[in-house]
Short mmCIF file of all heavy atoms in Angstrom, two decimals:
data_model
loop_
_atom_site.label_atom_id
_atom_site.label_comp_id
_atom_site.label_asym_id
_atom_site.label_seq_id
_atom_site.Cartn_x
_atom_site.Cartn_y
_atom_site.Cartn_z
N ALA W 193 151.82 96.74 56.95
CA ALA W 193 152.02 97.06 58.36
C ALA W 193 153.32 96.43 58.88
O ALA W 193 154.07 97.07 59.63
CB ALA W 193 150.83 96.57 59.19
N LEU W 194 153.62 95.19 58.42
CA LEU W 194 154.86 94.54 58.84
C LEU W 194 156.08 95.29 58.35
O LEU W 194 157.04 95.51 59.11
CB LEU W 194 154.90 93.11 58.28
CG LEU W 194 154.38 92.00 59.18
CD1 LEU W 194 154.53 90.66 58.48
CD2 LEU W 194 155.15 92.00 60.49
N LEU W 195 156.03 95.70 57.08
CA LEU W 195 157.16 96.46 56.52
C LEU W 195 157.39 97.73 57.33
O LEU W 195 158.53 98.09 57.66
CB LEU W 195 156.89 96.79 55.05
CG LEU W 195 157.99 97.51 54.29
CD1 LEU W 195 159.27 96.70 54.27
CD2 LEU W 195 157.55 97.84 52.87
N ALA W 196 156.27 98.40 57.69
CA ALA W 196 156.38 99.63 58.49
C ALA W 196 156.99 99.32 59.85
O ALA W 196 157.87 100.05 60.33
CB ALA W 196 155.00 100.26 58.65
N LEU W 197 156.54 98.22 60.46
CA LEU W 197 157.02 97.85 61.78
C LEU W 197 158.52 97.55 61.76
O LEU W 197 159.28 98.02 62.61
CB LEU W 197 156.25 96.60 62.24
CG LEU W 197 156.16 96.37 63.73
CD1 LEU W 197 155.19 97.36 64.34
CD2 LEU W 197 155.72 94.95 64.02
N VAL W 198 158.96 96.78 60.76
CA VAL W 198 160.38 96.41 60.66
C VAL W 198 161.22 97.65 60.41
O VAL W 198 162.27 97.85 61.04
CB VAL W 198 160.58 95.37 59.54
CG1 VAL W 198 162.06 95.16 59.26
CG2 VAL W 198 159.92 94.05 59.92
N THR W 199 160.75 98.53 59.51
CA THR W 199 161.50 99.76 59.24
C THR W 199 161.64 100.59 60.50
O THR W 199 162.72 101.12 60.80
CB THR W 199 160.76 100.57 58.16
OG1 THR W 199 160.48 99.72 57.06
CG2 THR W 199 161.60 101.74 57.70
N ASP W 200 160.55 100.69 61.25
CA ASP W 200 160.57 101.46 62.49
C ASP W 200 161.59 100.87 63.47
O ASP W 200 162.37 101.60 64.09
CB ASP W 200 159.16 101.45 63.10
CG ASP W 200 158.96 102.59 64.05
OD1 ASP W 200 159.33 103.73 63.69
OD2 ASP W 200 158.45 102.36 65.15
N ALA W 201 161.60 99.54 63.56
CA ALA W 201 162.53 98.89 64.48
C ALA W 201 163.98 99.15 64.05
O ALA W 201 164.85 99.42 64.89
CB ALA W 201 162.25 97.39 64.53
N VAL W 202 164.24 99.10 62.74
CA VAL W 202 165.60 99.35 62.24
C VAL W 202 166.03 100.77 62.58
O VAL W 202 167.16 101.02 63.01
CB VAL W 202 165.65 99.11 60.71
CG1 VAL W 202 166.96 99.63 60.14
CG2 VAL W 202 165.49 97.63 60.40
N LEU W 203 165.09 101.74 62.44
CA LEU W 203 165.44 103.13 62.75
C LEU W 203 165.74 103.30 64.24
O LEU W 203 166.68 104.03 64.60
CB LEU W 203 164.30 104.06 62.33
CG LEU W 203 164.21 104.29 60.82
CD1 LEU W 203 162.92 105.01 60.47
CD2 LEU W 203 165.41 105.10 60.35
N LEU W 204 164.96 102.63 65.08
CA LEU W 204 165.22 102.73 66.52
C LEU W 204 166.58 102.15 66.86
O LEU W 204 167.32 102.69 67.67
CB LEU W 204 164.13 102.01 67.30
CG LEU W 204 162.82 102.79 67.41
CD1 LEU W 204 161.77 101.98 68.15
CD2 LEU W 204 163.06 104.11 68.14
N LEU W 205 166.93 101.02 66.17
CA LEU W 205 168.22 100.40 66.38
C LEU W 205 169.34 101.36 65.94
O LEU W 205 170.36 101.52 66.62
CB LEU W 205 168.30 99.09 65.59
CG LEU W 205 169.47 98.20 65.91
CD1 LEU W 205 169.29 97.57 67.27
CD2 LEU W 205 169.62 97.10 64.85
N ALA W 206 169.12 102.02 64.80
CA ALA W 206 170.12 102.97 64.29
C ALA W 206 170.35 104.08 65.30
O ALA W 206 171.48 104.50 65.54
CB ALA W 206 169.66 103.54 62.96
N ARG W 207 169.25 104.54 65.94
CA ARG W 207 169.42 105.61 66.92
C ARG W 207 170.24 105.11 68.10
O ARG W 207 171.09 105.82 68.63
CB ARG W 207 168.05 106.10 67.40
CG ARG W 207 168.18 107.31 68.30
CD ARG W 207 166.84 107.76 68.81
NE ARG W 207 166.29 106.80 69.74
CZ ARG W 207 165.12 106.97 70.34
NH1 ARG W 207 164.39 108.03 70.06
NH2 ARG W 207 164.68 106.07 71.19
N ARG W 208 169.97 103.90 68.50
CA ARG W 208 170.72 103.31 69.61
C ARG W 208 172.22 103.30 69.31
O ARG W 208 173.05 103.56 70.18
CB ARG W 208 170.26 101.87 69.82
CG ARG W 208 169.37 101.68 71.00
CD ARG W 208 169.75 100.36 71.65
NE ARG W 208 169.64 100.41 73.08
CZ ARG W 208 168.57 99.98 73.73
NH1 ARG W 208 167.53 99.55 73.07
NH2 ARG W 208 168.56 100.02 75.04
N LEU W 209 172.57 102.94 68.05
CA LEU W 209 173.98 102.81 67.69
C LEU W 209 174.61 104.18 67.49
O LEU W 209 175.75 104.42 67.88
CB LEU W 209 174.11 101.98 66.41
CG LEU W 209 173.68 100.52 66.53
CD1 LEU W 209 173.75 99.82 65.19
CD2 LEU W 209 174.56 99.81 67.56
N LEU W 210 173.86 105.11 66.85
CA LEU W 210 174.45 106.40 66.48
C LEU W 210 174.39 107.40 67.62
O LEU W 210 175.23 108.30 67.70
CB LEU W 210 173.73 106.98 65.26
CG LEU W 210 173.93 106.23 63.94
CD1 LEU W 210 173.02 106.79 62.87
CD2 LEU W 210 175.38 106.35 63.51
N ALA W 211 173.39 107.28 68.46
CA ALA W 211 173.22 108.27 69.53
C ALA W 211 172.78 107.56 70.79
O ALA W 211 171.65 107.71 71.24
CB ALA W 211 172.20 109.33 69.11
N PRO W 212 173.68 106.76 71.39
CA PRO W 212 173.28 105.95 72.55
C PRO W 212 172.79 106.80 73.71
O PRO W 212 172.01 106.32 74.53
CB PRO W 212 174.56 105.20 72.92
CG PRO W 212 175.63 105.70 72.05
CD PRO W 212 175.08 106.57 71.01
N TRP W 213 173.20 108.06 73.75
CA TRP W 213 172.78 108.89 74.88
C TRP W 213 171.30 109.28 74.80
O TRP W 213 170.67 109.57 75.80
CB TRP W 213 173.63 110.18 74.92
CG TRP W 213 173.37 111.05 73.74
CD1 TRP W 213 172.41 112.02 73.64
CD2 TRP W 213 174.04 111.03 72.49
NE1 TRP W 213 172.45 112.58 72.39
CE2 TRP W 213 173.43 112.01 71.68
CE3 TRP W 213 175.09 110.27 71.97
CZ2 TRP W 213 173.83 112.24 70.36
CZ3 TRP W 213 175.49 110.52 70.67
CH2 TRP W 213 174.86 111.49 69.89
N ALA W 214 170.75 109.24 73.57
CA ALA W 214 169.40 109.78 73.37
C ALA W 214 168.35 108.97 74.14
O ALA W 214 167.41 109.53 74.67
CB ALA W 214 169.06 109.78 71.89
N VAL W 215 168.53 107.65 74.19
CA VAL W 215 167.53 106.81 74.83
C VAL W 215 167.41 107.19 76.30
O VAL W 215 166.32 107.41 76.82
CB VAL W 215 167.93 105.32 74.70
CG1 VAL W 215 166.90 104.45 75.37
CG2 VAL W 215 168.09 104.96 73.24
N ARG W 216 168.58 107.32 76.95
CA ARG W 216 168.56 107.64 78.37
C ARG W 216 167.93 109.01 78.58
O ARG W 216 167.12 109.21 79.47
CB ARG W 216 169.99 107.62 78.91
CG ARG W 216 170.06 107.20 80.36
CD ARG W 216 171.49 107.11 80.84
NE ARG W 216 172.25 108.33 80.57
CZ ARG W 216 173.43 108.34 79.99
NH1 ARG W 216 173.99 107.22 79.60
NH2 ARG W 216 174.07 109.47 79.78
#
Side-chain angles (χ1 to χ4, degrees):
Chain W
L194 266 182
L195 183 60
L197 204 73
V198 170
T199 310
D200 201 46
V202 169
L203 285 170
L204 283 178
L205 191 71
R207 186 182 69 180
R208 255 219 144 97
L209 295 175
L210 291 172
W213 66 88
V215 180
R216 211 177 53 230

